Amino acid sequence: MNILLINHYAGSLKHGMEYRPFYLAREWVRLGHTVRIIASSQSHIRAQAPQLHGCDQLDETIDGVGYRWVATPAYRGNGGARVANMLAFVTRLHLHARRLAAEFAPDVVIASSTYPLDIWPAHRIARCAGARLLFELHDLWPLSPIELGGYSRRHPFIMLLQAAEDYACRNACAIVSILPKVRDHLEAHGMAPHKLHIVPNGADPAEWLAAPPALDGIAGARLAALRGDGKFIVGYAGTHGLANALDTLLDAARLVADQRIAFVLAGGGPDKARLVRLAMQRGLRNVHFLDPVPKQQVPALLAHFDVAYIGWQRQRLYRYGIAPNKLIDYMMAGRPILHSVEAGNDPVAEAGCGLTVAPQDPVAVAHGLLALFTLDQQERDAAGERGRAYAVAKLSYPVLARRFLQACA
């Protein structure tokens, strides 16, 4: 089967996030399918941009997966320049739909760009090729910018996004959702009940099941020193942004300052400098900040954590469910997890791999940490192993790629 996957922000192990399109495509290639990913040359989440050297496009193959990078204008932030970048990408695909259909001859076309505007060029390509059309839902747009960003439903761009989501619900042959609780929302916008398939985020087991290498550099030395001092390490690894509610973790750290618990926050992001200043102003000597580590070093980093923490803001949007990559990484690392969230699903409870407490509630987080801190080591290890087994059985990309293909049939 020839699969054409359109994902504006698709990355690879070479370019960085986002990884999901690459991992799924690589598994499909291993199953004997041919895959081509079409992505924008510009993305705010990639660590390394493809080098087009002034050309309109670039083709390359990475681990058997074909990529076509399409030149689009640069942007920063979430303002008008990003909207222009989106429109340039989908417009170019729409204008060249016949050529793309003839060149790739896809059996399946997947629209998968987080925002839903790519459904229109994807449908045109699918019609020209006589292919099956799939819509992959990552986040709910336009509901996310409405509920998280405060945009009016009457904003012209929001209305355009809503028209695209409605079009996808009515015209896609199948809809694959990362979020598990979206059925009612999608049916309200025109999706027939039989179309929905749930395929959450996942992990590549090959990156996790081998013994992790030693953690290099300053991060390894600081964690080893904490361990040598007999500290119980509560760790967070990932982006430091407002959505991650790390203020709550700092507040909880102050509440348990009399315990031998060390808090390690590894990563970067727009909120990190403020969090570092806040910890210093509060005199939180039990909080330690580390720079981001390379992707291949993440298993070694997480191996140092006694408990892995993930937090969220209290948002109604999460009633549709969550599927965070960070949580899956924690499971694959075999770490017991403290999850501060209120959502439509609870992966930690489903896996039995830790505790879930209320979001943005420092007292609840502190009580949860103390409960895990006072557990017998064997009980914590058992919780971590339950999480690993759950992730391998249900959230590994070899499993998820086959499940996704069921929607393509």
Side-chain angles (χ1 to χ4, degrees):
M1 183 163 58
N2 289 343
I3 301 173
L4 179 62
L5 192 157
I6 299 170
N7 187 303
H8 187 127
Y9 305 106
S12 70
L13 296 181
K14 173 182 175 182
H15 299 93
M17 293 176 68
E18 79 179 60
Y19 297 110
R20 175 183 171 91
F22 168 76
Y23 283 129
L24 287 171
R26 188 173 63 176
E27 293 301 326
W28 295 334
V29 168
R30 289 171 175 173
L31 291 171
H33 304 286
T34 301
V35 186
R36 181 69 64 94
I37 295 175
I38 300 182
S40 166
S41 63
Q42 299 290 329
S43 167
H44 61 289
I45 56 176
R46 287 193 207 112
Q48 178 180 328
Q51 300 302 306
L52 273 63
H53 302 292
C55 297
D56 288 339
Q57 64 186 42
L58 170 69
D59 290 340
E60 69 174 314
T61 301
I62 303 173
D63 281 4
V65 179
Y67 280 78
R68 171 159 295 178
W69 307 105
V70 175
T72 57
Y75 69 95
R76 296 184 67 181
N78 289 319
R82 184 179 178 190
V83 173
N85 176 271
M86 294 177 189
L87 296 177
F89 180 69
V90 298
T91 299
R92 184 161 181 194
L93 295 186
H94 197 272
L95 291 174
H96 297 294
R98 290 187 181 277
R99 191 183 75 190
L100 292 168
E103 183 180 352
F104 298 150
D107 300 296
V108 176
V109 179
I110 304 169
S112 175
S113 292
T114 303
Y115 60 84
L117 302 178
D118 60 354
I119 190 63
W120 285 309
H123 195 191
R124 189 175 185 195
I125 295 168
R127 281 201 309 263
C128 292
R132 186 171 171 82
L133 175 68
L134 268 68
F135 176 63
E136 184 180 26
L137 189 153
H138 295 245
D139 297 323
L140 284 169
W141 283 52
L143 201 58
S144 292
I146 290 171
E147 295 198 2
L148 299 182
Y151 284 84
S152 168
R153 292 182 182 273
R154 297 185 180 277
H155 188 287
F157 186 58
I158 295 298
M159 294 174 69
L160 180 65
L161 292 171
Q162 189 59 70
E165 183 185 51
D166 293 349
Y167 188 90
C169 287
R170 293 193 306 268
N171 292 280
C173 301
I175 295 178
V176 172
S177 175
I178 293 174
L179 307 176
K181 302 295 183 179
V182 294
R183 178 176 294 280
D184 289 347
H185 173 84
L186 296 178
E187 288 184 8
H189 288 276
M191 182 194 74
H194 71 276
K195 290 184 178 181
L196 184 60
H197 301 255
I198 305 300
V199 182
N201 280 319
D204 177 12
E207 297 177 359
W208 293 94
L209 298 184
L215 187 61
D216 297 332
I218 295 173
R222 291 185 67 182
L223 286 164
L226 291 173
R227 182 67 65 203
D229 289 340
K231 299 296 186 182
F232 182 90
I233 299 175
V234 175
Y236 170 86
T239 301
H240 294 39
L242 291 175
N244 309 108
L246 292 173
D247 291 74
T248 302
L249 186 61
L250 296 190
D251 290 339
R254 181 164 55 178
L255 294 175
V256 298
D258 59 338
Q259 302 290 330
R260 58 176 183 87
I261 301 175
F263 294 80
V264 173
L265 285 72
D271 208 31
K272 181 167 184 174
R274 184 190 67 82
L275 291 165
V276 171
R277 289 195 302 270
L278 186 62
M280 292 179 63
Q281 291 166 2
R282 293 179 176 178
L284 297 177
R285 300 175 64 182
N286 57 344
V287 176
H288 309 267
F289 291 89
L290 301 179
D291 290 336
V293 302
K295 178 176 172 58
Q296 63 271 20
Q297 286 265 290
V298 172
L301 170 69
L302 299 187
H304 284 273
F305 295 174
D306 292 295
V307 168
Y309 173 82
I310 177 172
W312 304 70
Q313 293 186 341
R314 185 183 295 276
Q315 292 284 354
R316 289 188 68 249
L317 185 67
Y318 301 144
R319 65 193 181 275
Y320 296 106
I322 55 171
N325 285 304
K326 185 187 296 93
L327 182 58
I328 301 164
D329 288 348
Y330 290 171
M331 288 181 177
M332 291 296 295
R335 300 296 87 195
I337 298 167
L338 182 68
H339 196 190
S340 175
V341 70
E342 184 177 282
N345 64 319
D346 187 349
V348 169
E350 292 168 15
C353 62
L355 293 176
T356 299
V357 299
Q360 294 188 292
D361 185 338
V363 173
V365 170
H367 287 168
L369 288 175
L370 290 174
L372 292 171
F373 175 62
T374 56
L375 269 184
D376 182 81
Q377 180 67 52
Q378 289 184 333
E379 293 181 78
R380 285 197 300 269
D381 290 344
E385 286 306 314
R386 287 193 295 272
R388 193 202 309 268
Y390 180 93
V392 170
K394 299 186 177 183
L395 301 174
S396 66
Y397 276 114
V399 173
L400 298 176
R402 291 177 183 274
R403 190 189 307 178
F404 200 118
L405 287 177
Q406 294 174 6
C408 299

